[in-house]
Amino acid sequence: MAKGTTQHIKVRNLRKVYQVRSGMFGRPLPLQAIAGVSFEVEAGTTFGLVGESGSGKTTIAKMLMLAEAPTSGAIEVGGRDLTKLDGAARLQAYRELQPVLQDPYSSLNPRMRVGQIIDEPLRIHLSLSRHERQARVRELLDLVGLPSDAAERYPNEFSGGQRQRISIARALGLNPKCLILDEPVSALDVSIQAQVLNLLKELQQRIGLTYLLISHDLAVVAYMSQRVGVLYLGELMEIADADDIVRRPLHPYTQALISSVDSRGSDDNGKVVITGEIPSPINPPSGCPFHPRCPRAEHRCTLEKPVLRQLASGHQAACHFAEGFLQSYTKQRLARDQSSAESSSSPNSNTEVTT
């Protein structure tokens, strides 16, 4: 399959509503965790979902992994709607879509040797002899940069980064086409995070994997992803190419996320700072869901909900003022280009000093 030519994952108007009860005798209240999310992931690429805790990222991952049933919407993987699969087709979907979880300390059984952990999905899902499974375990360990004798050791004998490599090896055992990376490096030391991210990039290039990367860290998402979706209170605020969303974010929430790692997160080169926490999805704000925390909010934002719309090639945003942000970035670029042209044409710019 040629990279970037086929949508491996298509999510259409995905919704998830839970019924929660306040107290023993309270009536059930709807909690809308995901509110009509749509995106596509091209085969062989990485799509990053970024947002604060409580934005709904992991809920989307659970629905993709068939651990949660969506209230409505469609999830197509490899041309098949996962919400309509059962029996053998559902089992095949499990094999092709594997998770790498956040905490490598709790996701590995401490009572099992590493070889047993990696072998378990092979034994359950594949018709391989014991000798073939052992060879496959050694192959997977080598693939993630661990020695073959690691198979005889227990998880507690490894560092956090090595444990995550074991988790990746286990996920690759069934030859999946897509990995769901749920905060894959957030539990690791900063010095180890880059090693694991680079390993994931290398594996993607060698095997042609498709990744759905979930993280609260926009720097990690931008480094790994070709496309990025910014999620807030169960809704997409912005979708764009990774380079474009960092260079010219068109939603104040995206600008604030960028400001947390880079002061260039707004059009005046100042930080966009937000306070408070994500509102309760049981009682979401009227109008724009971000307006209670938005430093640029106006009265209109409290009444009218902005539509996620395309503002530039491949760039969508759900903000009433996104067009203004885009015009501001365009003016800044033109000003820089003019300044650069004037500097290069200055009489002193090409003066040679001779003696």
Side-chain angles (χ1 to χ4, degrees), residues 251-261 265 271-274 290 295:
H251 195 285
Y253 183 55
T254 311
Q255 295 169 3
L257 292 177
I258 293 174
S259 291
S260 67
V261 294
K271 285 195 173 185
V272 176
V273 179
I274 57 174
F290 186 58

Side-chain angles (χ1 to χ4, degrees), residues 65-88:
M65 291 300 305
L66 305 177
E68 293 273 4
T71 303
S72 63
I75 305 172
E76 292 185 14
V77 177
R80 297 172 300 174
D81 189 345
L82 299 187
T83 63
K84 299 179 180 178
L85 297 182
D86 55 16

Side-chain angles (χ1 to χ4, degrees), residues 108-310:
L108 302 177
N109 190 332
R111 298 186 178 183
M112 295 175 67
R113 297 181 189 273
V114 166
Q116 294 173 311
I117 291 172
I118 299 175
D119 174 68
E120 187 174 31
L122 307 180
R123 179 170 49 82
I124 294 172
H125 291 278
L126 302 180
S127 300
L128 299 177
S129 67
R130 182 178 180 181
H131 177 74
E132 289 172 327
R133 296 200 314 271
Q134 290 175 341
R136 178 62 173 158
V137 168
R138 291 193 296 269
E139 178 187 354
L140 291 168
L141 287 171
D142 181 67
L143 193 61
V144 298
L146 292 175
S148 59
D149 62 3
E152 302 302 320
R153 297 155 62 186
Y154 288 93
N156 68 300
E157 301 178 55
F158 296 90
S159 67
Q162 290 172 323
R163 294 187 197 192
Q164 197 62 299
R165 290 172 184 262
I166 295 168
S167 296
I168 294 170
R170 176 177 59 183
L172 294 175
L174 300 179
N175 292 314
K177 296 179 180 178
C178 179
L179 295 185
I180 308 296
L181 308 174
D182 189 1
E183 300 275 8
V185 296
S186 63
L188 305 179
D189 293 338
V190 175
S191 59
I192 304 301
Q193 289 182 6
Q195 297 178 23
V196 174
L197 292 177
N198 288 334
L199 171 64
L200 289 168
K201 275 196 165 188
E202 179 186 343
L203 291 171
Q204 185 176 51
Q205 293 172 355
R206 290 176 60 181
I207 306 175
L209 292 165
T210 302
Y211 292 155
L212 176 64
L213 172 63
I214 292 170
S215 180
H216 66 277
D217 189 338
L218 186 54
V220 169
V221 169
Y223 175 71
M224 287 290 296
S225 308
Q226 284 75 45
R227 296 276 290 170
V228 175
V230 180
L231 198 66
Y232 183 82
L233 202 61
E235 301 183 42
L236 282 168
M237 301 290 102
E238 190 166 0
I239 305 177
D241 291 345
D243 292 340
D244 197 20
I245 212 167
V246 171
R247 183 169 51 89
R248 51 176 189 177
L250 300 181
H251 195 285
Y253 183 55
T254 311
Q255 295 169 3
L257 292 177
I258 293 174
S259 291
S260 67
V261 294
D262 187 344
S263 63
R264 294 171 294 177
S266 71
D267 58 359
D268 58 359
N269 290 328
K271 285 195 173 185
V272 176
V273 179
I274 57 174
T275 59
E277 298 181 357
I278 292 181
S280 169
I282 297 179
N283 186 27
S286 61
C288 175
F290 186 58
H291 86 259
R293 304 173 68 196
C294 181
R296 305 184 186 276
E298 298 182 4
H299 181 64
R300 175 188 180 188
C301 304
T302 66
L303 304 175
E304 301 176 26
K305 187 172 184 176
V307 177
L308 184 67
R309 59 201 183 279
Q310 182 156 311

